[in-house]
Amino acid sequence: MEAIIKFLFVSFLILLAVIGYRALLRRFQRGHMKHKDYCELYTLDQEPAMGELAFYFVCPEQTNVQIAIWQNNLIIHELANTSYEKGGHILRFDSTKLSNGVYYYGIITADQETKKRMTIAN
């Protein structure tokens, strides 16, 4: 009889630990952003970048997207500022319009700003 009580007590403690662990995980995940709600910007195919560049991004729904190139936190080229449908999109840019160096390219929407680094070597 004493063995059954010990078994039930240990089982109860394990059950409480599992419930507590799941509650803790839910609490930590509460403040995290949901990546599926944001546009996803992909990296360029080659590094260093040269010639015609293909900027590829995916929108989870129709949204207004600004696509630009930065240098020293200043936008030096705005490639687009328009509404894009849900799905994948490619925007092409001739890198010979830029001098060699380090730049950032990215997208800005109402809810996000995403930038990636690129090195131009024409």
Side-chain angles (χ1 to χ4, degrees), residues 10-11 13 33 36-37 39 43 49 53 69 89 110 117:
V10 169
S11 297
L13 288 178
M33 66 181 195
K36 63 181 176 149
D37 295 339
C39 293
T43 57
L53 307 179
I69 297 175
H89 305 279
R117 184 177 188 261

Side-chain angles (χ1 to χ4, degrees), residues 48-64:
M50 62 184 73
E52 185 180 71
L53 307 179
F55 299 108
Y56 180 69
F57 61 99
V58 177
C59 296
E61 59 188 32
Q62 182 175 347
T63 185
N64 189 56

Side-chain angles (χ1 to χ4, degrees), residues 40-121:
E40 183 176 359
L41 177 65
Y42 288 81
T43 57
L44 294 174
D45 290 336
Q46 57 179 243
E47 182 65 29
M50 62 184 73
E52 185 180 71
L53 307 179
F55 299 108
Y56 180 69
F57 61 99
V58 177
C59 296
E61 59 188 32
Q62 182 175 347
T63 185
N64 189 56
V65 179
Q66 178 186 15
I67 303 154
I69 297 175
W70 287 264
Q71 187 176 37
N72 299 327
N73 293 325
L74 296 172
I75 293 178
I76 59 171
H77 281 289
E78 182 178 74
L79 307 176
N81 191 351
T82 188
S83 182
Y84 285 94
E85 297 290 326
K86 175 181 179 178
H89 305 279
I90 296 175
L91 187 67
R92 300 193 184 280
F93 176 74
D94 183 13
S95 69
T96 59
K97 295 178 181 177
L98 301 173
S99 58
N100 292 345
V102 176
Y103 298 89
Y104 292 88
Y105 63 97
I107 57 177
I108 299 173
T109 67
D111 299 322
Q112 81 180 91
E113 181 175 322
T114 302
K115 292 181 185 177
K116 295 191 180 249
R117 184 177 188 261
M118 69 175 170
T119 304
I120 299 292

Side-chain angles (χ1 to χ4, degrees), residues 5-22:
I5 293 174
K6 285 183 181 179
F7 175 76
L8 290 175
F9 182 71
V10 169
S11 297
F12 180 70
L13 288 178
I14 291 173
L15 181 63
L16 282 178
V18 168
I19 291 171
Y21 177 71
R22 292 186 73 186

